[in-house]
Structures are given as structure tokens and as C-alpha cells.
Amino acid sequence: MNSNNSGFGYHPTQYARLNNGQLYAMFRESIYSRLEDSEKLDLLQETVNRDALEKGMVGAPQVQFADLPATESGNAANGYITVNRDMATRGIQTLEYNGQTFYHQMDDYNVQALNTVLHEDEHCFQEQIINGTIIIPLMIWQKSTWQMILHTARF
């Protein structure tokens, strides 16, 4: 949606016709573990597409895999969500220490991948609020209760 190399936009997937229950069922370990890497990427993208739409974002961030350090499950910038490839596709975290390589097998990598894209999509949502792409009612915390300010605020 933006001309400055932004990943926000329309990202069609093979899972668009599934209802939400069917989509989230794809994250079951018995199903997720059998998917090809491209299918896992599409599944994560469709999840982000729906999350972005639900939040009222202008376009959805683009999800991509990359070789990230073991300490980083993912990150978000400029409308791109980058997910640790080894973590999301094979459930492995790799760490090098003193010239040795250590591999840690994650039993819940399907859930970690889902959690990562939803977490990073929240940062993308914040990015659109901060840069003024979307305007939302300002919410403040006061005396342990949320209060909605009736006017909108532009950040």
C-alpha cells in the first residue's frame, strides 16, 4: 500500500477459503509437521492476513522466512514479518558457542511459529498507528480501568 518498499498489501494464500476453525486446525502438530515449508509460510501468511483485517490495518504485513539467530524467533519492520526459518519449519534452534554448534529441538514449534507471527503483527499494527496510516480511538489506563476517550488521536 506504500511506495517506499513496504510489505503491507494484499498477500493471497491457498488457505483463504478455510474458515477460522479449519485454519487454526492446520496448526495441530499432526498436520503442521507434514506441511512443506511453502505451505507453512502460506499458513502463517493467511493467519496474519486475517489478524490484520480484524485489527483494521491498511493491508497485511508480508510474512517471510529468514536465517535468524537462535535467540530470535522473528521480527517486524516496514510491513514485513520475518520468522526464524529453522524454528518455524523444522522446530530447531541452533546456537554456536565456543566453536561448537548446539541444536535444540522444540516440541511446540507449530505453536511458537503461530505465536511469533501474531506477536510481530502486533508490532506492525503499532507501526501503522505511529506513522498515521490508521487512526484509532485513544485508550488510557486510569485507576485500574480502561476508559475510551471519545475523540480520536493521531500519533
Side-chain angles (χ1 to χ4, degrees):
M1 301 273 149
N2 195 327
S3 61
N4 58 359
N5 293 329
S6 173
F8 290 109
Y10 175 68
H11 307 289
T13 73
Q14 62 184 306
Y15 300 111
R17 291 198 170 126
L18 298 180
N19 66 39
N20 286 342
Q22 293 167 326
L23 181 75
Y24 294 120
M26 298 292 293
F27 283 98
R28 290 185 181 136
E29 195 278 332
S30 60
I31 297 171
Y32 189 85
S33 64
R34 293 191 320 251
L35 298 176
E36 299 291 327
D37 291 0
S38 62
E39 294 171 315
K40 290 175 182 173
L41 183 61
D42 238 20
L43 180 60
L44 295 169
Q45 181 66 63
E46 184 60 33
T47 303
V48 168
N49 288 350
R50 293 180 191 200
D51 193 49
L53 180 64
E54 181 70 25
K55 290 176 180 169
M57 294 171 66
V58 179
Q62 183 175 347
V63 180
Q64 59 191 5
F65 291 144
D67 298 325
L68 298 177
T71 56
E72 188 175 2
S73 296
N75 60 61
N78 301 318
Y80 291 93
I81 294 175
T82 304
V83 181
N84 185 313
R85 180 187 327 275
D86 285 340
M87 183 273 299
T89 61
R90 299 185 306 140
I92 295 175
Q93 288 182 307
T94 306
L95 178 67
E96 291 189 25
Y97 179 75
N98 281 343
Q100 293 184 343
T101 304
F102 299 92
Y103 300 96
H104 171 68
Q105 182 66 46
M106 303 172 67
D107 294 330
D108 64 344
Y109 74 104
N110 49 325
V111 176
Q112 292 298 325
L114 172 61
N115 183 58
T116 297
V117 295
L118 292 175
H119 173 86
E120 298 305 332
D121 191 45
E122 191 65 28
H123 291 303
C124 292
F125 178 61
Q126 293 166 345
E127 178 182 339
Q128 285 196 345
I129 293 168
I130 290 167
N131 70 21
T133 301
I134 56 176
I135 300 169
I136 61 165
L138 179 62
M139 297 181 82
I140 61 170
W141 185 258
Q142 185 176 19
K143 296 183 182 177
S144 302
T145 62
W146 284 102
Q147 293 184 344
M148 179 71 75
I149 294 179
L150 297 178
H151 68 282
T152 58
R154 187 175 198 96
F155 292 89

